[in-house]
Amino acid sequence: MKTVFSPLHNRRDVKTELDGGLLIAPHEKPSRAETILARVKSQALGEIVEPEEFGLEPIKRVHTDNYVEFLENCWQEWQSDGKQGEAIPVFWAGRGMRHREPKDIDGRLGYYSMGADTSISDGTWEAACASVNVALTGQKLVAGGERAVFALCRPPGHHAHADLFGGYCFFNNAAIAAQAFRDQGYERVAVLDVDFHHGNGTQSIFYHRNDVLTISLHGDPDLVFPHFLGFEDETGEGEGEGYNLNIVYPPGTPFSVWRQGLETACRRIADFGADALVVPLGVDTFEDDPISFFKLTSPDYLTLGQRLAQLGLPTLFTMEGGYDVDAIGVNAVNVMQGFEGKA
Ligand code: OKS
Ligand code: MG
Ligand code: ZN
């Protein structure tokens, strides 16, 4: 299997994550991608290709013009304003207030975000664009006949809405790739999000549509991020009714339970008659993940890959979460090797 990788991911290297009242060293750090890449190489998974440049047009099929413009200029505006640290949103439009974009950078940061966990600094824009190019290059390779491709995206994307960043995400790589499949004539695209967290951005982007089926397996949002979306009664709206599926699990969930939801998801994708599959892949479902609460083990990722391959679909994997850096390479590449038949 080919892997798409851009060294530009390392331009995303913030020093702060607001967590538990402290500015900690971010969980979402450059060594994550480098460790996965090293495992791709040591396992000789396949060719490693650099992304092509696709520009902003495919991004704007999913994200709003104003949001894209905000992200491009945010760091410059923050600095021009004389701020000392990294750009962190601290104000939001609460209930009863106006959802209206103000001029001030503090106001705009709140308007375009869902949390204060994701700081912005120099290089965030460049890395986020490179991450989209990684996903779109993978999509192009799959559309060109590759059975499956691993888009080693960083920063991740599945929390990003059409006009919101947060949860370490800026552009929704998986949604942009799914839309690219649609724009190239694929009629029905399935997105199966196996990251520990709800794929709220992807759900939101396609919530009113029946041409992209969105499914996410995740930790109960009553207990974990994103807190305000991802419940099982969210099934889609309008034309999209019945085309969103959330499968929610409690703390301590082992693979034996998690895989039952995977089975439900795979049957739904087969019924849907998908002609392409995008898999936002997080390995923060791992038992030793520092911020999550599922109990998957390294061999379980081989089984996951095997089951996804049985769908028989052209498949694009986009890398999402996973914060036990010691295990992230083995776990992510195990999915690819399981897909290719390794037991
Ligand atoms: C804040 C924790 C915020 C969780 C962000 C989730 C990132 C992720 N301390 N998404 O898939 O892995
Ligand atoms: Mg998920
Ligand atoms: Zn995650």
Short mmCIF file of all heavy atoms in Angstrom, two decimals, residues 155-184:
data_model
loop_
_atom_site.label_atom_id
_atom_site.label_comp_id
_atom_site.label_asym_id
_atom_site.label_seq_id
_atom_site.Cartn_x
_atom_site.Cartn_y
_atom_site.Cartn_z
N PRO A 155 -1.66 18.14 10.44
CA PRO A 155 -2.63 17.90 11.51
C PRO A 155 -3.84 17.09 11.05
O PRO A 155 -4.11 17.01 9.86
CB PRO A 155 -3.05 19.32 11.92
CG PRO A 155 -2.81 20.16 10.70
CD PRO A 155 -1.59 19.56 10.07
N PRO A 156 -4.54 16.51 12.05
CA PRO A 156 -5.74 15.73 11.75
C PRO A 156 -6.89 16.64 11.31
O PRO A 156 -6.72 17.87 11.27
CB PRO A 156 -6.06 15.05 13.08
CG PRO A 156 -5.48 15.96 14.12
CD PRO A 156 -4.25 16.56 13.50
N GLY A 157 -8.04 16.05 10.97
CA GLY A 157 -9.09 16.88 10.38
C GLY A 157 -10.52 16.64 10.83
O GLY A 157 -11.37 17.50 10.65
N HIS A 158 -10.82 15.47 11.43
CA HIS A 158 -12.23 15.07 11.51
C HIS A 158 -13.10 15.91 12.44
O HIS A 158 -14.33 15.84 12.34
CB HIS A 158 -12.36 13.58 11.83
CG HIS A 158 -12.02 13.19 13.24
ND1 HIS A 158 -12.63 12.15 13.88
CD2 HIS A 158 -11.09 13.69 14.10
CE1 HIS A 158 -12.12 12.04 15.08
NE2 HIS A 158 -11.18 12.93 15.24
N HIS A 159 -12.51 16.73 13.30
CA HIS A 159 -13.33 17.62 14.13
C HIS A 159 -13.69 18.94 13.42
O HIS A 159 -14.57 19.66 13.89
CB HIS A 159 -12.62 17.96 15.45
CG HIS A 159 -12.43 16.77 16.34
ND1 HIS A 159 -13.48 15.97 16.73
CD2 HIS A 159 -11.31 16.23 16.89
CE1 HIS A 159 -13.00 15.00 17.50
NE2 HIS A 159 -11.70 15.13 17.60
N ALA A 160 -12.99 19.26 12.36
CA ALA A 160 -13.19 20.56 11.70
C ALA A 160 -14.53 20.60 10.96
O ALA A 160 -14.80 19.77 10.09
CB ALA A 160 -12.04 20.86 10.75
N HIS A 161 -15.36 21.57 11.31
CA HIS A 161 -16.62 21.83 10.60
C HIS A 161 -16.32 22.71 9.39
O HIS A 161 -15.18 23.11 9.16
CB HIS A 161 -17.61 22.55 11.52
CG HIS A 161 -18.18 21.71 12.61
ND1 HIS A 161 -19.52 21.67 12.90
CD2 HIS A 161 -17.59 20.88 13.50
CE1 HIS A 161 -19.73 20.86 13.93
NE2 HIS A 161 -18.58 20.37 14.31
N ALA A 162 -17.37 23.06 8.66
CA ALA A 162 -17.21 23.95 7.50
C ALA A 162 -16.53 25.24 7.91
O ALA A 162 -15.77 25.83 7.13
CB ALA A 162 -18.57 24.24 6.87
N ASP A 163 -16.77 25.71 9.14
CA ASP A 163 -16.19 26.99 9.57
C ASP A 163 -15.80 26.98 11.05
O ASP A 163 -15.96 27.97 11.74
CB ASP A 163 -17.13 28.16 9.25
CG ASP A 163 -18.48 28.02 9.94
OD1 ASP A 163 -18.73 26.98 10.61
OD2 ASP A 163 -19.29 28.95 9.84
N LEU A 164 -15.26 25.85 11.52
CA LEU A 164 -14.81 25.75 12.91
C LEU A 164 -13.54 24.91 13.00
O LEU A 164 -13.49 23.81 12.42
CB LEU A 164 -15.86 25.07 13.79
CG LEU A 164 -17.21 25.75 14.05
CD1 LEU A 164 -18.10 24.78 14.83
CD2 LEU A 164 -17.03 27.06 14.78
N PHE A 165 -12.57 25.40 13.77
CA PHE A 165 -11.42 24.55 14.12
C PHE A 165 -11.52 24.14 15.59
O PHE A 165 -12.28 24.72 16.37
CB PHE A 165 -10.08 25.26 13.83
CG PHE A 165 -9.70 26.35 14.79
CD1 PHE A 165 -8.90 26.09 15.90
CD2 PHE A 165 -10.12 27.66 14.57
CE1 PHE A 165 -8.52 27.11 16.78
CE2 PHE A 165 -9.76 28.69 15.46
CZ PHE A 165 -8.96 28.41 16.56
N GLY A 166 -10.75 23.11 15.94
CA GLY A 166 -10.71 22.64 17.33
C GLY A 166 -10.41 21.15 17.37
O GLY A 166 -10.43 20.48 16.34
N GLY A 167 -10.13 20.66 18.56
CA GLY A 167 -9.78 19.24 18.68
C GLY A 167 -8.57 18.90 17.82
O GLY A 167 -8.47 17.80 17.27
N TYR A 168 -7.63 19.86 17.73
CA TYR A 168 -6.38 19.74 16.97
C TYR A 168 -6.59 19.76 15.45
O TYR A 168 -5.66 19.45 14.70
CB TYR A 168 -5.58 18.47 17.36
CG TYR A 168 -5.53 18.12 18.82
CD1 TYR A 168 -5.40 16.80 19.25
CD2 TYR A 168 -5.59 19.11 19.81
CE1 TYR A 168 -5.34 16.46 20.60
CE2 TYR A 168 -5.52 18.78 21.17
CZ TYR A 168 -5.41 17.45 21.54
OH TYR A 168 -5.34 17.12 22.89
N CYS A 169 -7.79 20.08 14.98
CA CYS A 169 -8.12 20.01 13.55
C CYS A 169 -8.42 21.38 12.96
O CYS A 169 -9.03 22.23 13.63
CB CYS A 169 -9.34 19.11 13.34
SG CYS A 169 -9.13 17.42 13.94
N PHE A 170 -8.05 21.57 11.68
CA PHE A 170 -8.29 22.84 10.97
C PHE A 170 -9.08 22.63 9.69
O PHE A 170 -10.14 23.21 9.50
CB PHE A 170 -6.95 23.52 10.68
CG PHE A 170 -6.18 23.77 11.94
CD1 PHE A 170 -5.24 22.84 12.39
CD2 PHE A 170 -6.45 24.88 12.72
CE1 PHE A 170 -4.56 23.04 13.58
CE2 PHE A 170 -5.78 25.09 13.90
CZ PHE A 170 -4.84 24.17 14.34
N PHE A 171 -8.56 21.80 8.79
CA PHE A 171 -9.30 21.42 7.59
C PHE A 171 -9.70 19.96 7.72
O PHE A 171 -8.92 19.12 8.16
CB PHE A 171 -8.45 21.61 6.33
CG PHE A 171 -8.20 23.05 5.98
CD1 PHE A 171 -6.92 23.46 5.61
CD2 PHE A 171 -9.22 23.99 6.01
CE1 PHE A 171 -6.68 24.79 5.28
CE2 PHE A 171 -8.99 25.32 5.67
CZ PHE A 171 -7.71 25.71 5.32
N ASN A 172 -10.93 19.65 7.30
CA ASN A 172 -11.41 18.28 7.42
C ASN A 172 -10.93 17.44 6.23
O ASN A 172 -11.61 17.33 5.21
CB ASN A 172 -12.93 18.27 7.53
CG ASN A 172 -13.44 16.94 8.03
OD1 ASN A 172 -13.01 15.88 7.54
ND2 ASN A 172 -14.34 16.94 9.00
N ASN A 173 -9.74 16.89 6.39
CA ASN A 173 -9.08 16.15 5.31
C ASN A 173 -9.98 15.06 4.73
O ASN A 173 -10.08 14.89 3.52
CB ASN A 173 -7.78 15.52 5.83
CG ASN A 173 -6.86 16.54 6.47
OD1 ASN A 173 -6.58 17.58 5.87
ND2 ASN A 173 -6.40 16.28 7.69
N ALA A 174 -10.64 14.31 5.61
CA ALA A 174 -11.48 13.19 5.16
C ALA A 174 -12.70 13.70 4.39
O ALA A 174 -13.07 13.13 3.34
CB ALA A 174 -11.94 12.36 6.37
N ALA A 175 -13.32 14.77 4.87
CA ALA A 175 -14.49 15.32 4.18
C ALA A 175 -14.11 15.90 2.83
O ALA A 175 -14.84 15.75 1.84
CB ALA A 175 -15.16 16.39 5.05
N ILE A 176 -12.96 16.56 2.78
CA ILE A 176 -12.50 17.14 1.51
C ILE A 176 -12.22 16.02 0.51
O ILE A 176 -12.58 16.12 -0.67
CB ILE A 176 -11.24 18.01 1.75
CG1 ILE A 176 -11.62 19.25 2.57
CG2 ILE A 176 -10.60 18.42 0.43
CD1 ILE A 176 -10.43 20.00 3.16
N ALA A 177 -11.64 14.93 0.97
CA ALA A 177 -11.38 13.79 0.08
C ALA A 177 -12.69 13.13 -0.35
O ALA A 177 -12.85 12.75 -1.52
CB ALA A 177 -10.47 12.78 0.78
N ALA A 178 -13.64 12.99 0.58
CA ALA A 178 -14.94 12.39 0.22
C ALA A 178 -15.64 13.24 -0.84
O ALA A 178 -16.21 12.72 -1.80
CB ALA A 178 -15.81 12.27 1.48
N GLN A 179 -15.59 14.56 -0.66
CA GLN A 179 -16.20 15.46 -1.65
C GLN A 179 -15.48 15.36 -3.00
O GLN A 179 -16.12 15.41 -4.05
CB GLN A 179 -16.16 16.90 -1.13
CG GLN A 179 -16.83 17.91 -2.04
CD GLN A 179 -18.32 17.64 -2.22
OE1 GLN A 179 -19.03 17.35 -1.26
NE2 GLN A 179 -18.80 17.69 -3.47
N ALA A 180 -14.16 15.18 -2.96
CA ALA A 180 -13.41 15.01 -4.21
C ALA A 180 -13.87 13.75 -4.95
O ALA A 180 -14.03 13.76 -6.18
CB ALA A 180 -11.91 14.96 -3.92
N PHE A 181 -14.10 12.65 -4.21
CA PHE A 181 -14.65 11.44 -4.85
C PHE A 181 -15.98 11.77 -5.53
O PHE A 181 -16.22 11.39 -6.67
CB PHE A 181 -14.87 10.33 -3.81
CG PHE A 181 -13.64 9.49 -3.54
CD1 PHE A 181 -13.09 9.45 -2.26
CD2 PHE A 181 -13.07 8.71 -4.52
CE1 PHE A 181 -11.97 8.67 -1.98
CE2 PHE A 181 -11.94 7.92 -4.26
CZ PHE A 181 -11.40 7.90 -2.98
N ARG A 182 -16.86 12.47 -4.82
CA ARG A 182 -18.17 12.84 -5.40
C ARG A 182 -17.98 13.69 -6.65
O ARG A 182 -18.65 13.46 -7.66
CB ARG A 182 -19.00 13.61 -4.34
CG ARG A 182 -19.57 12.76 -3.25
CD ARG A 182 -20.71 11.87 -3.77
NE ARG A 182 -21.84 12.65 -4.26
CZ ARG A 182 -22.23 12.74 -5.53
NH1 ARG A 182 -21.56 12.11 -6.49
NH2 ARG A 182 -23.27 13.47 -5.88
N ASP A 183 -17.08 14.64 -6.58
CA ASP A 183 -16.88 15.55 -7.72
C ASP A 183 -16.26 14.84 -8.92
O ASP A 183 -16.32 15.35 -10.03
CB ASP A 183 -16.00 16.74 -7.29
CG ASP A 183 -16.73 17.68 -6.34
OD1 ASP A 183 -17.98 17.64 -6.29
OD2 ASP A 183 -16.06 18.45 -5.62
N GLN A 184 -15.68 13.67 -8.67
CA GLN A 184 -15.09 12.91 -9.77
C GLN A 184 -16.00 11.78 -10.23
O GLN A 184 -15.58 10.87 -10.93
CB GLN A 184 -13.72 12.37 -9.35
CG GLN A 184 -12.70 13.50 -9.18
CD GLN A 184 -11.49 13.09 -8.37
OE1 GLN A 184 -11.10 11.92 -8.37
NE2 GLN A 184 -10.89 14.05 -7.69
#
